Amino acid sequence: MLLFVSQDAHEFLIFLLNELVDILEKEVQAAKDDTESSSLPPERTTNGSKVTQADDIHKEPLVTWVHKKFQGILTNETRCLRCETVTARDEIFLDLSLDIEQNSSITSCLKNFSSIETLNADDKFFCDKCCSLQEAQKRMKIKKPPQILVIQLKRFNYIEQLGRNKKLSYRVAFPLELKLIDYVEEADAVYSLFAVVVHMGSGSSHGHYVSLIKSHHHWLFFDDENVEMIDESAVQTFFGSAQEYSSNTDHGYILFYERDVTNNHD
Amino acid sequence: MINSSNGMMSASSSSSAAGAGGNAPSPGLKTYFKAPEGRYKLHYEKGHPSGLMHYVQGKTATQATVAIVKDKPSPPTPLSQPSSGFSASSGVKSAAAKLLGGSNGSRTFGFVGGNGGSKNLSGSSKLGPFSSNSTNSNLALNFDGKGTYLIFNMGDGLFISDLNSQDKEPMKAIYFNNVYPVCHAFDQDAKDGHDLLIGLSTGDVYSVSLGQQLQDSGKKLVGAQHYNKDGSVNNSRCTCISWVPGGDGAFVVAHADGNMYVYEKSKEGAGDSSFPAIKDPTQFSIAHARHSKSNPITRWHTCQGSINGIAFSSDGTHLATVGRDGYLRVFDYPKEELICGGKSYYGALLCCAWSADGKYILAGGEDDLVQIWSMDDKKVVAWGEGHNSWVSGVAFDSSWSPPDTENSEQIVYRFGSVGQDTQLLLWDLQMEEIVVPQRRPPGGSPTFSSGSQTAQWDNATPLGTLQSAPSMRDIPKISPLVIHRVHTEPLSGLIFTEESILTVCREGHTKVWMRPGTPASQGSSNSETPLSTSLKDKPLLSSIK
Ligand SMILES: [Zn+2]
């Protein structure tokens, strides 16, 4: 797979999560093999003791803590404009990658993400009921919001004319508190921002990553081995540049929001 | 194996879905916009002196104040503090000379200066050759400075522009040297000389006479009274400042730590200004100064985190605050009581404003919504949806009157909002037309009733209860009449004047949009040609592969 940036932080995150799932699955499998092939007495616990229900896991797909923390469900709804049939397809996701616009907000990017898109011309939809290509309306809904919402801002876009990726320095405001409409529980999910991966540099193939992490009610700025405390209001300085040519090259790239369970009134 | 949603997302979040007012990468700013009542036209722009900034960029967001200086029947009373820094010799009228043009041209303010072109007047920093130490207090007494001024901060400077002049550069610049003026307020009915308040990033506060600043040729604040010196009472950043309407020189300063202080300008700031410790920082509390000589006289602890905006109702009986915690709070100011309030949909609230009749409050913030709070219903009655980023300024247009309608008894409000999306939005609020979806009966579809009939919902709420965030389904939405991209930088404020709408961007630029029907809006100073091509520019960027 081609990397968008020489060492893209988002690529790495996805790699890491997948690798974790792999390891966890192998661990469970090994533990299961162990208990199945072993003639050891049951009271002797092993390292894999947390997986006691090995038989159940064998039947159902394994739900690791990676899934529990990061996985959400999207519904891709397509409505055929001829027969009005709605086709809904659920998809799981570990993160959302959002197109960005200059001087916008995460709220606005999410709105665009879930906005209705019309499929027509060369991009028609094959309707099973009509048995033909038809014009249709498509919409992405977040059906089940994840525990940890990871948002990647698509700052590295491929420019055909240039034949390479270009970094978009757009200013995208991200609030400390965010909501997603929860279609399952009918109560909107409240999220709090707790970490930001910042890309520094003007190009897409070079630069430097730093991160902002909220720990014990304080925001910390991590730059390699240097860690310093910053004021909450300084988070805003990583929104991006309101104008294309700006000396500010430090831009929020990956946002981590955690669902707030205490703030879940009615 | 889990797949990242990455690839899958690209298709559905293509920027083609951006909708109205999408921000094209290249600026396509038009010099007019159309509203139902006619065409608003860009009359001129006001900025800070060129070649300033950059190193100060992003430190502060510009706020703007319009100061209408009326004829003053009696000369300003000299203040308790000697006007030590006061300057302007008889030959040096500097910027003040220009102000008198038109109304009081016969006064003795002939402009004297080596290179007396009008250009010289803009930016007092250029008045260096003039001596600035000789005093002539008679001049102050004669000065009336009648006119309309735009006061705004940018970096460590405070700037004053003549709003009736086309000059882009300000006529007066005052520098604070490495501290930042962040908020200001003007009292056009001030009884004695001090009519302008300035709050700093250090928490310090000054009151001064605007006229006196305009006469002075230096770059420093002159004749100022200093409060909260070196942050001795509160060293957190000032966030907003306001005179108390009808408050006889009382004013309120809000800080980034959730406290507000009431000062009296006539009172010397001497003596012990200590307040009891705040027992519960999560609760609203009032504390009066321990000593009678203290100035500030009262501390209002309103919330945790920054207070981002305050606004008095025009009669001074109510005070609204918004802040970091996302709550709008409404206080009975004379009684020092919290009456009501509520949470944003999410995120901090950044700005608030009252309708002239005190019935509605607008609040805007980080959920991109303009919320309309009804004082009768004590709740949010509508959300204005239309901004693509945080809402940074809201205001009712008190000069606006609805076009001739058959049912003239129906009250319609016009208001505006500006956001970090660089857009100005205009809205009409007509409560009878707003349909409030009621709480859904389980499993049923929403039922509807007219807005005025739903008031009984929360009447049982005890005084001072703050409402939690409403659900998206429970609040009716209204759409803007006008969406106009006015600047290239995020906006920080808007002001309605009788003749115009002023839009202010964070980086210190103000645009003056003349109302339809005003002489200037029909003039020819600006052609109707857009400054550059329209918003139809095709996006250069293709989506990720
Ligand atoms: Zn069909």
Side-chain angles (χ1 to χ4, degrees), chain B residues 444-493:
Chain B
S445 57
T447 52
F448 295 92
S449 74
S450 111
S452 52
Q453 289 163 2
T454 59
Q456 63 268 26
W457 272 11
D458 297 299
N459 272 3
T461 323
L463 191 77
T465 306
L466 297 175
Q467 310 215 353
S468 57
S471 165
M472 189 44 99
R473 303 162 185 87
D474 289 343
I475 304 294
K477 315 282 189 313
I478 61 171
S479 297
L481 297 168
V482 171
I483 298 178
H484 185 65
R485 188 165 167 245
V486 288
H487 289 250
T488 55
E489 293 280 348
L491 302 180
S492 55

Side-chain angles (χ1 to χ4, degrees), chain B residues 193 211 302 417 471:
Chain B
T302 61
S417 59
S471 165

